[in-house]
């Protein structure tokens, strides 16, 4: 039986998922997103050009491959339209190889307003949301109020839109939110709604499909399918650092609900981790460095959000979190990105356990947000050389290989490949 392979982030996002998906796409027939929405920012680089994708799967630049936006994804039509137009400018006509699930839910302009209203109401306890409307749209999905892509074509679409919009306006006013003063991309709500409605025409140019049948048929026919995760393990709604998480299941299990494939059809699970760690937005981050080293990681790694431009918090790689991620996701292959960022470091550290009130543990405690976690750090000698021009895993510096071997030992999972630059060509497979 052909199985679906999964690729997802093992930390707090931005591990380089988009880049690795782009590199692996030639090995697959279909690339499918299964959760999240325009909160994601997946960067691809080739031919000296950088491309950032938010809703569209990262296989889109391979014209002969099919890309699918699955039922578990949220689509914001205006952001979708902007992405499609960006691709058109680059000569990529996505109507040819992008399919959209009828069951994917829509993000309305008022979902984005509610995101802002909810964050404002939280005061000092803000999540640091990307404000793309993710939480409110998934809330409406589970509350059974949501509007799906397939609904755009039905007679009662306008009425349902108006009713949901009204509900959001009532809620925002109850929260004391300044609806009149609210702006999206510099537009008032009414102006943005007009642009949003017009963008539905772009969405309608795509094939809306029963993606669960499509995917299962592909697998039955022996086609190879890659499920592309967004966000990451530690932002998972159930197992992440709740409430500082996103609103979807970012884990392997999310592939089953976000695409309609049975658990028995899950094949390899490729987990992406940076050689260090970053987090954007609020929430716990035990290995965070608020010093010169943290600053260096941020600057050398260009750690600024691909979606919001916010600086990412930086710190050492966190093995307790990585082991947890491997357990929850059933990771079969690790991909390590960005060791090149630490090329000039004298010492590179790895957190191998947490010390909480003098007691060591390698488990993620329930009180993760409040526990006084002190990371137990193991130092490694830096490799102190450029990785530019290295084309084989074996040719990597011995000290870097020792660091990578420790990651394998600590997680019990083999490293499949290491990425040493943003460019598509710089991924070194181990065998
Ligand atoms: P994603 O959300 O997981 O797809 O990751 P992002 O695109 O948000 O962030 C990853 C960033 O790191 C992007 O700017 C990539 O171009 C860059 N990147 C990916 N892999 C590497 C690598 O191996 N080395 C370096 N220096 N940069 C990388
Ligand atoms: P990719 O796919 C990093 C973070 C936000 C915030 C929290 C909730 O590029 O790895 P949301 O908008 O979902 O309500 O925000 O999750 N977040 C991400 N951080 N990478 C992402 O996606 C993220 N998507 C959401 O910063 O803390
Ligand atoms: Mg990103």
């Amino acid at each position: 039986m052909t199985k679906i392979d999964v690729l997802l982030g093992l930390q707090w996002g931005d591990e380089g998922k988009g880049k690795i998906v782009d590199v692996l796409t030639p090995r697959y027939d279909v690339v499918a997103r299964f959760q999240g929405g325009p909160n994601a920012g997946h960067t691809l680089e080739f031919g000296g050009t950088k491309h950032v994708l938010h809703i569209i799967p990262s296989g889109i630049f391979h014209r002969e491959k099919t890309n699918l936006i699955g039922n578990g994804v949220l689509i914001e039509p205006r952001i979708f339209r902007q992405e499609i137009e960006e691709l058109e400018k680059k000569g990529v006509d996505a109507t040819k190889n992008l399919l959209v699930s009828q069951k994917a839910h829509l993000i309305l302009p008022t979902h984005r307003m509610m995101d802002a209203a909810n964050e404002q109401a939280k005061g000092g306890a803000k999540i640091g949301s990307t404000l793309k409307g993710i939480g409110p749209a998934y809330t409406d999905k589970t509350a059974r109020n949501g509007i799906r892509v397939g609904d755009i074509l039905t007679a009662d679409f306008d009425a349902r839109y108006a009713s949901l919009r009204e509900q959001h306006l009532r809620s925002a006013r109850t929260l004391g939110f300044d609806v009149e003063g609210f702006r999206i991309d510099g537009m008032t709500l009414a102006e943005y709604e007009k642009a949003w409605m017009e963008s539905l025409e772009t969405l309608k140019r795509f094939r809306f499909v029963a993606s669960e049948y499509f995917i299962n048929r592909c697998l039955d026919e022996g086609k190879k399918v890659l499920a592309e995760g967004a966000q990451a393990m530690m932002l998972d709604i159930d197992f992440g650092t709740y409430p500082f998480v996103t609103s979807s299941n970012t884990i392997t299990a999310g592939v089953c609900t976000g695409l309609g494939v049975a658990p028995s059809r899950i094949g390899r699970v490729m987990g992406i981790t940076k050689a260090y760690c970053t987090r954007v937005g609020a929430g716990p981050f035990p290995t965070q460095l608020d010093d010169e080293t943290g600053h260096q990681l941020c600057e050398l790694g260009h750690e600024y959000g691909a979606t919001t431009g916010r600086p990412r918090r930086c710190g050492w790689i966190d093995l307790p979190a990585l082991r947890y991620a491997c357990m929850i996701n059933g990771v079969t292959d690790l991909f390590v990105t960005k060791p090149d960022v630490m090329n000039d470091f004298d010492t590179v550290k790895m957190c191998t356990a947490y010390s909480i009130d003098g007691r060591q543990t390698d488990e993620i405690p329930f009180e993760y947000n409040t526990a006084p976690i002190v990371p137990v750090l193991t130092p490694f000698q830096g490799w102190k050389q450029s990785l530019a021009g290295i084309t084989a895993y074996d040719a990597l510096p011995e000290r870097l290989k020792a660091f990578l071997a420790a990651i394998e030992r600590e997680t019990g999972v083999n490293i499949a490949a290491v990425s040493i630059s943003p460019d598509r060509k710089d991924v070194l497979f181990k065998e």
Side-chain angles (χ1 to χ4, degrees), residues 6-220:
V6 183
L7 184 149
L8 36 74
L10 301 180
Q11 299 171 310
W12 279 279
D14 306 325
E15 296 88 352
K17 299 175 290 294
K19 179 202 162 150
I20 303 294
V21 169
D22 173 52
V23 168
L24 293 177
T25 298
R27 304 178 179 194
Y28 291 88
D29 299 298
V30 180
V31 178
R33 277 278 302 272
F34 60 94
Q35 48 68 234
N39 48 348
H42 296 175
T43 315
L44 286 59
E45 241 181 88
F46 49 85
T49 311
K50 186 168 141 173
H51 312 271
V52 182
L53 298 167
H54 301 286
I55 312 174
I56 296 171
S58 300
I60 198 71
F61 290 98
H62 300 261
R63 319 240 168 135
E64 68 292 2
K65 308 292 182 177
T66 302
N67 286 261
L68 170 74
I69 297 179
N71 59 280
V73 177
L74 297 178
I75 298 184
E76 208 276 33
R78 186 165 176 277
I79 298 178
F80 178 79
R81 177 182 171 178
Q82 285 173 324
E83 252 185 278
I84 293 298
E85 288 175 353
E86 274 301 306
L87 289 172
E88 277 169 2
K89 275 189 221 151
K90 290 167 179 165
V92 178
D93 176 7
T95 55
K96 296 223 167 18
N97 63 338
L98 177 64
L99 306 176
V100 181
S101 169
Q102 296 165 317
K103 292 194 170 82
H105 278 244
L106 294 175
I107 298 180
L108 273 51
T110 45
H111 281 130
R112 297 189 60 180
M113 180 190 67
M114 282 310 299
D115 219 353
N118 289 338
E119 282 284 71
Q120 183 183 295
K122 281 180 191 289
K126 281 187 182 36
I127 307 295
S129 161
T130 62
L131 300 176
K132 303 296 179 200
I134 303 296
Y138 276 125
T139 300
D140 275 332
K141 174 179 176 175
T142 26
R144 297 159 294 183
N145 294 326
I147 303 180
R148 300 182 290 177
V149 164
D151 297 329
I152 297 172
L153 307 174
T154 61
D156 64 349
F157 173 73
D158 288 344
R160 288 182 58 190
Y161 177 92
S163 156
L164 192 53
R165 170 185 190 274
E166 210 37 56
Q167 211 174 303
H168 294 153
L169 288 170
R170 267 199 310 274
S171 305
R173 293 202 170 103
T174 307
L175 288 170
F177 187 73
D178 175 12
V179 173
E180 283 66 38
F182 176 64
R183 297 285 180 278
I184 306 178
D185 296 347
M187 288 181 245
T188 63
L189 184 60
E191 288 164 350
Y192 194 84
E193 286 182 304
K194 187 165 174 288
W196 189 96
M197 282 292 177
E198 285 165 6
S199 302
L200 291 179
E201 295 309 314
T202 302
L203 189 53
K204 283 186 201 162
R205 284 167 43 207
F206 289 80
R207 255 178 68 201
F208 299 167
V209 294
S211 55
E212 60 278 35
Y213 282 108
F214 173 80
I215 286 284
N216 281 287
R217 218 172 280 139
C218 283
L219 294 171
D220 289 343

Side-chain angles (χ1 to χ4, degrees), residues 251-315:
I251 55 175
T252 304
V255 175
C256 298
T257 55
L259 286 174
V261 293
S264 56
R265 293 206 102 152
I266 301 288
R268 300 206 75 78
V269 179
M270 294 170 273
I272 319 296
T273 174
K274 282 180 193 170
Y276 52 97
C277 200
T278 63
R279 174 162 204 171
V280 61
F285 180 9
T287 62
Q288 181 172 344
L289 294 165
D290 294 311
D291 58 7
E292 182 52 29
T293 309
H295 178 71
Q296 273 183 314
L297 285 171
C298 183
E299 290 309 314
L300 297 169
H302 305 291
E303 296 295 356
Y304 292 88
T307 297
T308 59
R310 293 178 291 177
R312 298 173 182 146
R313 296 144 69 193
C314 297

